[in-house]
Amino acid sequence: MPAGSVTLQSIKKLGQENHSYEVSDEEPAGSYMSMSASKGDAKASGNTEQQAIRVGFFQLFRFSTKRDILMMMVGSMCAVLHGSAQPLMLLVFGLLTDTFIEYDVELNELMDDRKECVNGTIQWKRNYTAGLNMSQSAWGIMNNSTWEMLTPLRELPCGNLDIEYEMTKFAFYYAGIGFAVFLLGYLQISLWVMAAARQIQLIRKTYFGKVMRMEIGWFDCTSVGELNTRMSDDINKINNAIADQVAIFLQRFTTFVCGFCVGFVKGWKLTLVIVAASPLIGIATGLMALFVAKLTGLELQAYAKAGAVADEVLSSIRTVAAFGGEKKEVDRYDKNLVSAQQWGIRKGLIMGFFTGYMWLIIFFCYGLAFWYGSGLVVDTQEYTPGTLLQVFFGVLIAAMNLGQASPCLQAFAAGRGAATTIFETIDREPEIDCLSEAGYKLDRVKGDIEFHNVTFHYPSRPEVKILDQLSVAVKPGETTAFVGPSGAGKSTAIQLIQRFYDPKEGMVTLDGHDIRGLNIQWLRSLIGIVEQEPVLFATTIAENIRYGRPGVTMEDIITATKEANAYNFIMDLPQKFDTLVGEGGGQMSGGQKQRIAIARALVRNPRILLLDMATSALDNESEAVVQEALDKVRQGRTTISIAHRLSTIKNADVIVGFEHGRAVERGKHNELLERKGVYFTLVTLQSQGDKALNEKAREMAHTEEELEGRNISRAGSYRDSLRASIRQRSRSQMSNLIPDSVSSTGDLGPRAYSLSQSEKSKTAAAVEDEEEPVEPAPVARILKYNRPEWPYMLVGSIGAAVNGGVNPVYSLLFSQILATFSIPDPVKQRNEIDGICLFFVMVGVISFFTQMLQGYAFSKSGELLTRRLRRLGFQAMLGQEVGWFDDHRNSPGALTTRLATDASQVQGATGSQIGMIVDSLTNIGVAIIMSFYFSWKLTMVILGFLPFIVLSAGFQAQMLMGFAKQDKAAMETAGRISGEALNNIRTIAGLGKEKVFVQMYEAQLHAPYDAAIKKANVYGACYGFAQCIVFFTNSASYRFGGYLVRQEGLHFSMVFRVISAIITGGQALGRASSYTPDYAKAKISAARFFQLLDRDPLISVYSDKGKKWDNFQGNIEFIDCKFTYPTRPDIQVLNGLNVSVKPGQTLAFVGSSGCGKSTSVQLLERFYDPDEGRVLIDGHNSTHVNVPFLRSKIGIVSQEPILFDCSIAENIKYGDNSREISMNEVISAAKKAQLHSFVMSLPEKYDTNVGAQGSQLSRGQKQRIAIARAIIRDPKILLLDEATSALDTESEKTVQDALDKAREGRTCIVIAHRLSTIQNSEIIAVMSRGYVIEKGTHNHLMGLKGAYYKLVTTGAPIS
């Protein structure tokens, strides 16, 4: 192999890479220079990442069997032998060069017609020397040449060198080494990969088995999303660390050692000279890594500022929209992008500088090595030319392989980091081990449950006491109902009975035995539980019921379904019991799921039945059916029922009222009503709502009869969803009645524990799943956005083209040097060598400048593109309707990341990518043209191998990217099982089915394992092929080269020239092709971006369409408005809202949370449009009004006003973004808002910064700034959404005065919870469940003695 190819890898890499040091740790192997750079980089970034590596490298193999260890030993042996192949080949290469040169010297000598070959040495022809002795008189005639002849010739051998025979011998050497390399490469890779596959399978089994044994509290503290990533990504990281990377590392390290050995053994002087120059490269690499890390840091920091702006704006999108601040925000964002862009350009320049510097040093090294080395060959004759090459390339190969070994170290570190958490979990002993055999089982169970002074808090929230000295007795065979507000500890008590947790103090007893002493599996088998949201597994109905008890007969299943009122609906399904219920039971309706869950609980024939809100998610009909089923099955069992619907509780034997983790009252329905405690409050509120609802339902029944024949089904499903939403509500109302536990969102009043980790992670997992696939964007469109930068791209391409030409020029110079060794005339020889060495230096200088040029030009065009895209993307985001932001895929976090990453990834398709392509194409193009010029025959032979060389280089690069990606698909089914198991861990624990899931998971691991074994062989073969192809190419081309030299008189330097030019060109091309992942990623990012830019918002902010009119009155009417939020289509929020307000009047909305008060305000702002019905403004339908115009007429003050991170004055000016606002206006608005005197007392007055989200100010101060902000736009309509609810009495008074001032002469809509604030409104509308139940003035409503009267008299806060 002309070791030229070797060097070239090393060089080429740098040139290519000047754009991508960020990623260089996963870059394909290339050179020692760039690699050490990546090491430095990794150090910089790695500190944060490797939290704690507490696993030693050899501990990674703790799961290996004897057989695995044997496989790994043999694999390592092969790797070491393979590593010594390249240096071994150098010895062959040195001999081959010497042979060629010797042959050429002989030719040169014999071209002199005075010499001849006698007995294998070259001598003067006889007759010449004989004739000289003729006459002394002839001395005068003698010329110089004859003088020369008098000196006896050096002993030069001749005639016994058959160049073709020699070359055949070398060709066999090469081919032999090639075959060995193929075999060794195959073995080293396949053995290691197989051994790793076996160990990984074991790790997966052990890990999942252990996780399924953990107590529930552990799951609360570890999110399911995290566990899923650990099972896929982290275990893959371990796989990477113990598979092929080890073999490759051993191989490269051996090459490194052997290369240096060859250098020092063959010629220590030259080796030392070359080594002496290497610190220059080392220092440069170090500096480069340092600078790049620093600049990347600065660039990120600069972008972080812009990112913070984006995040702030996107999180307060409603405020931005309400005040029409979109354009202003886009400009503010853009300003912050400028500095990020400058750092990016500087980074490109510096990387170009260092890459250029590296090339400069490398070419200086070439020049120096050949200059000094040729001195040793020609002048002192210590070395043969072959030795010179052996030493030179030995050192080069060694250095390069050292660099290529370093990414493996990173894989090892990542693997050890990943193993830390996994092995720690495997070694952790669960606090409550559900699979343990310990604990005793009682012979007879009465079902007498008692809590003795139980205190408890969840492990994930140790600061919140859930149960506080709870003492409750549940008598056997009775039905006990737990009632109370959300968060009072009802469900927690039930979980303690199942022993999901152990109490911190006190104990839970069953028949007088502490349940901690009982066997867990046995205890849980006594208990049947039906939850509010029952979990079904993705299998058939019959299988789901079988989960209740192992070995159940079909008869048992049928009896259970009959008892659960499920039999009939199951028999109506086409596949009856074999119907699949879908992922999470998605194919079934709520009532059906609930009844299957009840059947599953009954099939256990439980002693204790726990019903946790078992009917709350159902509509009335299903509820009646399910309730009837439950009443049937409760007979003779100890039953604990948690419910919010009174109908379900009334007939319980005992009702226990919970509050703040204690049982505060207990007794029958009537006794408790008289006590007027917790229970009473819940009851009164609920009956109120039910009454209103029944009336509404009656009205609907009338309208429905008229609609007969038309869309009846629609009305029906609509009623269902209405009921569901009401039921959801009724929960929240009950809980909200108790003043202390008003749930802050009140949205759906989430149950206390229901947002446990598993829920959160479910949403997290959902976010990942729902990335819809996008078609990669066409490059033409990406380039269109980059069009203004064409001059930069042109200049950059020219630079890249010159850089591409460097490689072939190098082959030219290298072969020229070899040619000089066969020149007989020493003076001429010396001159040529010096000339070539100077030429090396010149090439270095040129490439220094072109690299800088390429780096700068492309980074400039790329950064400008990134900035442009970020700005456009941000602008497009702010133009979307507010409903778009409700989708969890468009959360502020997700959007800011998209701006940060997608925009910068798009660079990968333009800029540097173009540079890369130009570079590799010039490289291979120049190489091929040059080769055809020098010897077309030899070129044709090598071109036959070119495709394989390109393939193999590309493959090696791909290989370094790791093979983990393909495993992902094979792991999917196993991943589904583990995901389902982890998400529903409570249900599985309750059913005691952990073992079953572990077995199912293990069964699914066979497929990925078989795939891995098959892959090991394919992958090993490919690796071996990639490694050996260069050897075969050399074998064929040197043999043919020998033939041409002999038969056609081709000069031997041409052979070297052609071979090294094409092989290096091919390898460069292959490596370039491996950059395509970057490119593909860029196209997908761009497509995601264009998707955003092309989306037409439903309510457009930037358009001029829509009506505007001059004398805006502020006359508002809601006519039959119905509305559901796009993200929760099943919950009807507005349900036929009718209400109107005349200019200058004040309308007050009151009602419990979630009844649609704030929603109506958002419809008015046109954040959303109603699904049915109309909102009229001055008689115009709101959907036809121009959005910016409408919003400019409305001022809004909300409960938690959002301020931006700037000065008080700027926040007030934000009220009107359409014009420049003078300071006087700001001050007068501040005076109206009772804010002025407070601001003047601050040291910086109006220039005081309010902090992020106004954190530097108190609530009252923030509220008044918000009021000033609303006043300054001088709106015709003022919306006050609970503007004073968050304040204490004093600030409330001040703010209330300010509001009363602000209301004068404006149409005003007030939403309030404190009745004092709304008594003097012209219209008070009491809302419930999305429509108005009564409206009128304060006195009128008091006279009605309806809902309003009740609220005022009980003084309960509404909501």
PDB file of all heavy atoms in Angstrom, residues 1085-1097:
ATOM      1  N   SER A1085     -34.805  19.022   9.371  1.00  0.00           N
ATOM      2  CA  SER A1085     -35.005  20.222  10.189  1.00  0.00           C
ATOM      3  C   SER A1085     -35.621  21.318   9.347  1.00  0.00           C
ATOM      4  O   SER A1085     -36.540  22.017   9.782  1.00  0.00           O
ATOM      5  CB  SER A1085     -33.675  20.731  10.734  1.00  0.00           C
ATOM      6  OG  SER A1085     -33.135  19.808  11.616  1.00  0.00           O
ATOM      7  N   ALA A1086     -35.104  21.466   8.144  1.00  0.00           N
ATOM      8  CA  ALA A1086     -35.616  22.523   7.276  1.00  0.00           C
ATOM      9  C   ALA A1086     -37.084  22.267   6.972  1.00  0.00           C
ATOM     10  O   ALA A1086     -37.901  23.194   6.976  1.00  0.00           O
ATOM     11  CB  ALA A1086     -34.815  22.560   5.982  1.00  0.00           C
ATOM     12  N   ALA A1087     -37.426  20.997   6.756  1.00  0.00           N
ATOM     13  CA  ALA A1087     -38.812  20.694   6.428  1.00  0.00           C
ATOM     14  C   ALA A1087     -39.720  21.062   7.600  1.00  0.00           C
ATOM     15  O   ALA A1087     -40.787  21.637   7.419  1.00  0.00           O
ATOM     16  CB  ALA A1087     -38.952  19.212   6.109  1.00  0.00           C
ATOM     17  N   ARG A1088     -39.256  20.748   8.833  1.00  0.00           N
ATOM     18  CA  ARG A1088     -40.062  21.099  10.004  1.00  0.00           C
ATOM     19  C   ARG A1088     -40.255  22.606  10.062  1.00  0.00           C
ATOM     20  O   ARG A1088     -41.307  23.116  10.428  1.00  0.00           O
ATOM     21  CB  ARG A1088     -39.368  20.624  11.275  1.00  0.00           C
ATOM     22  CG  ARG A1088     -39.562  19.158  11.526  1.00  0.00           C
ATOM     23  CD  ARG A1088     -39.828  18.890  12.997  1.00  0.00           C
ATOM     24  NE  ARG A1088     -38.677  19.150  13.821  1.00  0.00           N
ATOM     25  CZ  ARG A1088     -37.746  18.243  14.099  1.00  0.00           C
ATOM     26  NH1 ARG A1088     -37.867  17.024  13.635  1.00  0.00           N
ATOM     27  NH2 ARG A1088     -36.726  18.535  14.847  1.00  0.00           N
ATOM     28  N   PHE A1089     -39.194  23.300   9.698  1.00  0.00           N
ATOM     29  CA  PHE A1089     -39.232  24.755   9.733  1.00  0.00           C
ATOM     30  C   PHE A1089     -40.206  25.308   8.709  1.00  0.00           C
ATOM     31  O   PHE A1089     -40.995  26.200   8.998  1.00  0.00           O
ATOM     32  CB  PHE A1089     -37.831  25.278   9.402  1.00  0.00           C
ATOM     33  CG  PHE A1089     -37.375  26.267  10.393  1.00  0.00           C
ATOM     34  CD1 PHE A1089     -36.806  25.832  11.561  1.00  0.00           C
ATOM     35  CD2 PHE A1089     -37.553  27.617  10.183  1.00  0.00           C
ATOM     36  CE1 PHE A1089     -36.408  26.747  12.505  1.00  0.00           C
ATOM     37  CE2 PHE A1089     -37.155  28.526  11.125  1.00  0.00           C
ATOM     38  CZ  PHE A1089     -36.574  28.093  12.282  1.00  0.00           C
ATOM     39  N   PHE A1090     -40.115  24.744   7.502  1.00  0.00           N
ATOM     40  CA  PHE A1090     -40.977  25.253   6.443  1.00  0.00           C
ATOM     41  C   PHE A1090     -42.430  24.926   6.757  1.00  0.00           C
ATOM     42  O   PHE A1090     -43.338  25.669   6.404  1.00  0.00           O
ATOM     43  CB  PHE A1090     -40.575  24.653   5.091  1.00  0.00           C
ATOM     44  CG  PHE A1090     -39.205  25.082   4.650  1.00  0.00           C
ATOM     45  CD1 PHE A1090     -38.391  24.240   3.911  1.00  0.00           C
ATOM     46  CD2 PHE A1090     -38.720  26.336   5.001  1.00  0.00           C
ATOM     47  CE1 PHE A1090     -37.115  24.644   3.525  1.00  0.00           C
ATOM     48  CE2 PHE A1090     -37.455  26.738   4.614  1.00  0.00           C
ATOM     49  CZ  PHE A1090     -36.651  25.892   3.885  1.00  0.00           C
ATOM     50  N   GLN A1091     -42.637  23.799   7.440  1.00  0.00           N
ATOM     51  CA  GLN A1091     -43.992  23.428   7.833  1.00  0.00           C
ATOM     52  C   GLN A1091     -44.573  24.545   8.702  1.00  0.00           C
ATOM     53  O   GLN A1091     -45.723  24.939   8.551  1.00  0.00           O
ATOM     54  CB  GLN A1091     -43.894  22.149   8.665  1.00  0.00           C
ATOM     55  CG  GLN A1091     -45.048  21.220   8.492  1.00  0.00           C
ATOM     56  CD  GLN A1091     -44.806  19.939   9.271  1.00  0.00           C
ATOM     57  OE1 GLN A1091     -43.961  19.886  10.168  1.00  0.00           O
ATOM     58  NE2 GLN A1091     -45.554  18.915   8.951  1.00  0.00           N
ATOM     59  N   LEU A1092     -43.730  25.038   9.594  1.00  0.00           N
ATOM     60  CA  LEU A1092     -44.156  26.126  10.483  1.00  0.00           C
ATOM     61  C   LEU A1092     -44.408  27.396   9.666  1.00  0.00           C
ATOM     62  O   LEU A1092     -45.419  28.081   9.840  1.00  0.00           O
ATOM     63  CB  LEU A1092     -43.060  26.356  11.524  1.00  0.00           C
ATOM     64  CG  LEU A1092     -43.246  27.519  12.475  1.00  0.00           C
ATOM     65  CD1 LEU A1092     -44.409  27.233  13.403  1.00  0.00           C
ATOM     66  CD2 LEU A1092     -41.991  27.718  13.306  1.00  0.00           C
ATOM     67  N   LEU A1093     -43.475  27.713   8.758  1.00  0.00           N
ATOM     68  CA  LEU A1093     -43.621  28.946   7.979  1.00  0.00           C
ATOM     69  C   LEU A1093     -44.854  28.877   7.064  1.00  0.00           C
ATOM     70  O   LEU A1093     -45.471  29.891   6.789  1.00  0.00           O
ATOM     71  CB  LEU A1093     -42.370  29.187   7.116  1.00  0.00           C
ATOM     72  CG  LEU A1093     -41.059  29.400   7.862  1.00  0.00           C
ATOM     73  CD1 LEU A1093     -39.933  29.655   6.874  1.00  0.00           C
ATOM     74  CD2 LEU A1093     -41.143  30.562   8.825  1.00  0.00           C
ATOM     75  N   ASP A1094     -45.173  27.654   6.599  1.00  0.00           N
ATOM     76  CA  ASP A1094     -46.280  27.543   5.641  1.00  0.00           C
ATOM     77  C   ASP A1094     -47.635  27.399   6.315  1.00  0.00           C
ATOM     78  O   ASP A1094     -48.655  27.388   5.646  1.00  0.00           O
ATOM     79  CB  ASP A1094     -46.070  26.325   4.726  1.00  0.00           C
ATOM     80  CG  ASP A1094     -44.791  26.453   3.929  1.00  0.00           C
ATOM     81  OD1 ASP A1094     -44.316  27.596   3.782  1.00  0.00           O
ATOM     82  OD2 ASP A1094     -44.253  25.428   3.477  1.00  0.00           O
ATOM     83  N   ARG A1095     -47.657  27.230   7.629  1.00  0.00           N
ATOM     84  CA  ARG A1095     -48.949  26.965   8.277  1.00  0.00           C
ATOM     85  C   ARG A1095     -49.796  28.232   8.257  1.00  0.00           C
ATOM     86  O   ARG A1095     -49.331  29.311   8.585  1.00  0.00           O
ATOM     87  CB  ARG A1095     -48.717  26.533   9.724  1.00  0.00           C
ATOM     88  CG  ARG A1095     -50.014  26.186  10.428  1.00  0.00           C
ATOM     89  CD  ARG A1095     -49.777  25.699  11.845  1.00  0.00           C
ATOM     90  NE  ARG A1095     -51.030  25.228  12.434  1.00  0.00           N
ATOM     91  CZ  ARG A1095     -51.890  26.018  13.035  1.00  0.00           C
ATOM     92  NH1 ARG A1095     -51.641  27.318  13.134  1.00  0.00           N
ATOM     93  NH2 ARG A1095     -53.007  25.538  13.560  1.00  0.00           N
ATOM     94  N   ASP A1096     -51.070  28.077   7.878  1.00  0.00           N
ATOM     95  CA  ASP A1096     -51.965  29.228   7.909  1.00  0.00           C
ATOM     96  C   ASP A1096     -52.677  29.255   9.240  1.00  0.00           C
ATOM     97  O   ASP A1096     -53.454  28.352   9.539  1.00  0.00           O
ATOM     98  CB  ASP A1096     -53.023  29.130   6.789  1.00  0.00           C
ATOM     99  CG  ASP A1096     -52.448  29.649   5.487  1.00  0.00           C
ATOM    100  OD1 ASP A1096     -51.568  30.530   5.571  1.00  0.00           O
ATOM    101  OD2 ASP A1096     -52.861  29.171   4.414  1.00  0.00           O
ATOM    102  N   PRO A1097     -52.404  30.280  10.064  1.00  0.00           N
ATOM    103  CA  PRO A1097     -53.088  30.330  11.359  1.00  0.00           C
ATOM    104  C   PRO A1097     -54.585  30.511  11.168  1.00  0.00           C
ATOM    105  O   PRO A1097     -55.025  31.153  10.207  1.00  0.00           O
ATOM    106  CB  PRO A1097     -52.472  31.547  12.049  1.00  0.00           C
ATOM    107  CG  PRO A1097     -51.688  32.272  11.046  1.00  0.00           C
ATOM    108  CD  PRO A1097     -51.475  31.385   9.876  1.00  0.00           C
TER     109      PRO A1097
END
